[in-house]
Amino acid sequence: MRSRHACMRHACSRRTFLKSTAVGMIAASSESVMAASPTQGALPPTAPVAIHRCNTYQFELVKSRMSEMFDWLGTVRDLVKNKTVTIKVNLTGHLAQGIQSLNRVETVYTHPMVTLAACKLFEEYGATRCVVVECVNSGTALDCFIEDGYDISLFQSMCPIVEFENTRNLGNGGKYHTLQVGDDGYLFNSFDFNHRYVETDVMVSIAKMKNHDIAGITLSMKNMFGTTPISLYGNDARTNHEDATSDRSSVLHTATYSPQTDGMIEPVISRDDGFRVPRIVTDICRARPIDLAIIDAVVTQSGGEGNWNGDQLGLCVPGILMAGTNCVCVDSVGASVMNFDPQALGWTKPFYNGENTFQLAADRYLGTNNLSDIDVVGTSIADARYAFLPGADKE
């Protein structure tokens, strides 16, 4: 809890009001879970998280380090063998710019060499198909990836089983598919997804380690926010057309109007994006679980997710890769590597402008954010730690 002085100083602030509202909602929801959930009294699940040093994006080095991490985890080979693997990367914001002398591929996006190394290893492990996906606001599947630094010919020559698909809307699918959140969704009971997130055996999220203006930290879980189709959840979703290219602020961030689907819980509890986005991320990851989370933290940035965050952005070179089969565990360890507390209260550092997604996910038994319950293999958190500057406090 905040100090008495801080609470008095912000007694009538938006943050104090929202924090008290959120706590009340969480308490009520927790009572519902305890009354109805078969997991009553159980601890959130845990799984090992691997960390490995990787100082450059040279392909053979990335592949070697990733292979060692997968061997430490001991489950990845069996996970992907004879399977179709869908790989969600982070190519956030077509207007993104690089930091200092480095381009956006190196500092903002999931680096193509990390994605290629993962695809190549999956192929070697016996995967039958790898589909790299992202919801990109414009262009065809291949054009949008090429524009964002992905050499399609290189991917296809080195890994013939790889394909690319833009999942902005229907894409190559004939219809949207509804997936249920399960009991006690925070803000949604279900989501409608592009076929690629349903017609797959394995879901992989490869995220860039970054801060986020609203969520505080964006890693494998927040990367899944972009799986929601813009034609249904975007600002121009009212028209429900397949050419929709807007962002999702009016539907998901602020609930100014309802999505073109029946999954949203009514009435709207809050229209504050700091309240909504972390809860929606948790709901999405329950509806479409992540089977393998990989974090690209070789080179990145701190202070926000893109150049639109302003002067607080800075270049970071943690020089590591991370992986694990429980997204909450991976992201919580990632937060600690960034020198943040994964159990910090919402509306406090680094979650200055919203709730703590990792705590919300742990409260729904998606995984644990308690570091003492997570087995870290390879490089230790202490040896991997690289102090990030948090995003700006809007208040």
Side-chain angles (χ1 to χ4, degrees):
M1 296 294 291
R2 287 184 173 188
S3 68
R4 181 173 181 271
H5 172 72
C7 289
M8 291 176 65
R9 180 163 51 89
H10 294 284
C12 297
S13 73
R14 166 173 116 15
R15 179 183 303 175
T16 301
F17 172 76
L18 288 170
K19 182 178 177 183
S20 63
T21 302
V23 169
M25 177 191 176
I26 292 170
S29 298
S30 297
E31 291 176 0
S32 174
V33 170
M34 293 302 288
S37 173
T39 56
Q40 180 174 353
L43 295 175
T46 186
V49 176
I51 306 175
H52 209 329
R53 282 287 171 198
C54 187
N55 294 321
T56 76
Y57 284 117
Q58 195 273 331
F59 172 74
E60 291 299 336
L61 178 63
V62 174
K63 181 171 177 282
S64 172
R65 296 292 193 261
M66 195 175 293
S67 175
E68 290 183 85
M69 289 197 303
F70 290 165
D71 285 343
W72 294 338
L73 295 174
T75 57
V76 178
R77 292 175 184 270
D78 290 338
L79 178 68
V80 303
K81 186 176 181 180
N82 298 321
K83 303 292 180 56
T84 293
V85 182
T86 295
I87 301 147
K88 169 67 169 66
V89 296
N90 183 351
L91 304 181
T92 298
H94 66 287
L95 298 178
Q97 300 173 6
I99 301 296
Q100 297 180 18
S101 62
L102 300 182
N103 62 36
R104 61 187 184 179
V105 176
E106 295 169 302
T107 59
V108 184
Y109 298 157
T110 303
H111 197 279
M113 289 301 102
V114 176
T115 305
L116 178 56
C119 290
K120 188 62 181 175
L121 286 169
F122 297 155
E123 180 190 42
E124 293 177 2
Y125 297 164
T128 57
R129 188 182 183 198
C130 290
V131 188
V132 179
V133 299
E134 174 60 301
C135 175
V136 185
N137 286 17
S138 62
T140 66
L142 294 185
D143 288 344
C144 64
F145 281 97
I146 292 170
E147 181 182 351
D148 291 330
Y150 278 61
D151 185 338
I152 303 300
S153 62
L154 177 64
F155 270 78
Q156 293 175 338
S157 65
M158 294 188 65
C159 186
I161 67 169
V162 72
E163 305 169 24
F164 291 83
E165 186 167 350
N166 185 348
T167 59
R168 180 179 74 235
N169 296 320
L170 275 177
N172 298 333
K175 65 177 182 178
Y176 292 109
H177 297 259
T178 302
L179 294 180
Q180 301 297 321
V181 171
D183 293 339
D184 301 298
Y186 281 114
L187 298 178
F188 280 80
N189 288 320
S190 66
F191 293 93
D192 286 357
F193 291 102
N194 175 285
H195 77 108
R196 180 46 48 210
Y197 301 106
V198 178
E199 297 171 1
T200 189
D201 302 306
V202 181
M203 185 73 235
V204 179
S205 175
I206 308 184
K208 194 78 160 182
M209 178 179 282
K210 294 185 291 186
N211 293 110
H212 191 270
D213 189 43
I214 299 169
I217 297 172
T218 173
L219 293 167
S220 72
M221 293 177 64
K222 178 61 178 64
N223 187 36
M224 297 296 285
F225 194 83
T227 60
T228 49
I230 290 174
S231 62
L232 304 181
Y233 300 91
N235 293 347
D236 49 5
R238 293 175 185 174
T239 59
N240 195 23
H241 63 84
E242 287 303 302
D243 295 328
T245 59
S246 66
D247 63 36
R248 304 169 181 82
S249 57
S250 295
V251 176
L252 298 186
H253 284 227
T254 61
T256 304
Y257 58 86
S258 298
Q260 299 300 305
T261 177
D262 295 329
M264 190 167 77
I265 297 172
E266 302 280 4
V268 174
I269 298 171
S270 171
R271 300 190 189 278
D272 182 85
D273 54 6
F275 180 95
R276 293 183 58 80
V277 169
R279 286 174 169 79
I280 292 173
V281 168
T282 299
D283 286 344
I284 290 172
C285 290
R286 292 182 67 200
R288 173 56 274 184
I290 298 168
D291 298 304
L292 177 64
I294 301 172
I295 307 298
D296 169 10
V298 179
V299 179
T300 185
Q301 61 186 21
S302 65
E305 70 275 17
N307 55 280
W308 47 87
N309 296 126
D311 294 338
Q312 74 263 23
L313 292 180
L315 181 66
C316 292
V317 190
I320 62 167
L321 296 168
M322 297 176 54
T325 56
N326 184 288
C327 60
V328 184
C329 295
V330 172
D331 287 5
S332 296
V333 171
S336 186
V337 167
M338 298 168 75
N339 206 34
F340 300 128
D341 179 5
Q343 292 186 300
L345 291 174
W347 311 100
T348 70
K349 178 183 176 180
F351 311 106
Y352 283 132
N353 303 312
E355 295 291 339
N356 178 346
T357 305
F358 314 140
Q359 187 61 56
L360 293 170
D363 289 344
R364 288 298 184 265
Y365 299 95
L366 194 59
T368 184
N369 62 334
N370 185 343
L371 295 177
S372 64
D373 293 331
I374 303 172
D375 182 19
V376 177
V377 295
T379 304
S380 68
I381 293 176
D383 288 341
R385 185 162 284 135
Y386 189 103
F388 279 59
L389 294 176
D393 182 351
K394 292 179 180 178
E395 303 233 344

